[in-house]
Amino acid sequence: MVSSPHEAMHRIFQDHPGLFSGVSEALGVRFTRPTAVSIMPTDLTETSPLERRVDTLLRLETEDEEPFLLAIEAQGKKDPDKLASWAYYASYLLTKYRLQPMLLVVCQDRATAEWASRPVRFGPPQWPLLTLRPLVAGPHNMPVITDPAEVRKDLALATLSAITHVTNPDVGTILKAMTTVLRETPHTLSDPIVELIAQGMGKHPAAEIWRKLMAVDLSFYTSPISQEIRAEAEAKGEAKGMAKGEANAILTFLEARGIAIPDDARERITTCDNPDLLRRWITRTPTAVTVNDLFTDE
């Protein structure tokens, strides 16, 4: 399983192409809801060796406005080089497809989102040639959705909101609202969202919260992440059982040889969960004179 928040922040638009309408509305910018959405090739490379690839590219069509192209970039940190690349994307898309381009940047931290939100002017200060002004979705402006009723209204928007608020102190409540709704959602829709959220949590502490909610609230799901969680739980349970058995064997051998086992040593043995260390102690029990002989060189 890919565990990259970068992937989740833009791939959700591939799975739910109409999501941009909810996002733009949440950000206070009105775009007519599309009647058709097409996923476009993301490779913007020309014949020169320099490769340029946008994260996700969609063509949006509406009833009363001209079609336009929506480029979506997931940005994890400030990167001054990206500004020129984004300007290139816009001009290239306009030249190639003859459709007006739009850029949406999705971020998980406020500093990066505010940096990406600033208009950037290219050209001499006395006469800027062009201005780059992407629409940015991040923790600074995406809604915090903790009410299951609000999640039901727009599941895709709630998913993106959860991903962008991965470091929010209330992320546990946000994720709990998601599982509450996902329990009653058909698997064909819920399973991809479960995976997207798992990707979006990355290595943040919220990832463990999501895994625990998955194991408890969504225990009946058969998605890859749920299977992985159950496998890990079974492995941990098996390892714990083996450690307990080896610890009991050590104590039994020592007692059979009449070796006294002080309380602190007994606790050290029974609470050890290192299999290599337990096996080392077992090999020393036949020749040990005192319990401390097990712990030599440690």
Side-chain angles (χ1 to χ4, degrees):
M1 182 196 71
V2 179
S3 58
S4 167
H6 178 277
E7 290 291 310
M9 285 191 287
H10 73 85
R11 286 190 61 187
I12 185 173
F13 289 89
Q14 298 178 20
D15 292 347
H16 302 272
L19 173 59
F20 179 65
S21 296
V23 173
S24 62
E25 184 177 338
L27 302 182
V29 182
R30 184 183 179 280
F31 285 86
T32 303
R33 187 169 291 275
T35 56
V37 178
S38 304
I39 298 178
M40 306 288 287
T42 60
D43 192 348
L44 308 184
T45 307
E46 294 190 273
T47 55
S48 61
L50 182 62
E51 178 179 305
R52 298 184 187 274
R53 192 179 298 273
V54 68
D55 288 337
T56 288
L57 181 62
L58 305 176
R59 174 189 167 117
L60 278 65
E61 299 180 26
T62 67
E63 290 183 350
D64 54 359
E65 295 178 358
E66 291 293 321
F68 66 96
L69 297 175
L70 175 63
I72 302 158
E73 285 278 284
Q75 193 64 28
K77 62 181 180 180
K78 298 177 183 179
D79 182 359
D81 292 338
K82 271 292 186 179
L83 303 176
S85 294
W86 291 341
Y88 170 85
Y89 296 166
S91 61
Y92 178 88
L93 292 173
L94 179 60
T95 301
K96 180 174 181 178
Y97 295 104
R98 297 299 176 182
L99 293 174
Q100 292 300 324
M102 180 67 192
L103 174 63
L104 173 66
V105 181
V106 185
C107 307
Q108 284 186 306
D109 71 278
R110 187 184 185 94
T112 301
E114 292 179 343
W115 163 80
S117 299
R118 293 178 299 178
V120 179
R121 293 176 176 82
F122 294 90
Q126 62 270 36
W127 194 272
L129 176 63
L130 59 89
T131 300
L132 174 72
R133 191 186 177 203
L135 189 61
V136 178
H140 67 306
N141 58 6
M142 285 293 288
V144 177
I145 303 177
T146 58
D147 184 352
E150 293 299 314
V151 174
R152 291 187 187 94
K153 290 181 181 178
D154 194 331
L155 189 54
L157 178 65
T159 300
L160 183 64
S161 176
I163 291 171
T164 56
H165 288 290
V166 66
T167 59
N168 190 297
D170 293 328
V171 67
T173 306
I174 295 170
L175 295 177
K176 180 66 177 178
M178 293 297 303
T179 58
T180 299
V181 175
L182 289 173
R183 278 202 306 267
E184 59 194 42
T185 303
H187 286 202
T188 53
L189 177 59
S190 62
D191 284 3
I193 287 179
V194 167
E195 302 300 327
L196 277 170
I197 294 176
Q199 282 184 313
M201 298 301 100
K203 296 182 180 180
H204 293 281
E208 186 60 28
I209 297 175
W210 183 241
R211 294 177 73 83
K212 289 179 179 178
L213 287 171
M214 277 290 303
V216 177
D217 291 1
L218 305 178
S219 58
F220 52 86
Y221 278 179
T222 58
S223 62
I225 182 65
S226 61
Q227 292 175 343
E228 179 184 331
I229 291 171
R230 293 189 194 102
E232 288 181 359
E234 292 172 359
K236 288 179 181 178
E238 183 178 345
K240 185 176 181 181
M242 292 180 61
K244 183 177 180 180
E246 290 177 338
N248 288 336
I250 293 170
L251 296 176
T252 299
F253 292 158
L254 293 176
E255 290 169 350
R257 297 188 61 231
I259 296 176
I261 308 174
D263 291 343
D264 59 340
R266 183 180 297 273
E267 181 179 4
R268 182 174 180 180
I269 294 170
T270 56
T271 59
C272 179
D273 58 2
N274 185 326
D276 293 334
L277 192 56
L278 286 167
R279 283 192 287 272
R280 190 184 312 157
W281 291 345
I282 287 177
T283 60
R284 292 175 178 175
T285 53
T287 58
V289 177
T290 70
V291 70
N292 288 331
D293 290 336
L294 300 184
F295 313 136
T296 303
D297 301 329
E298 295 170 10

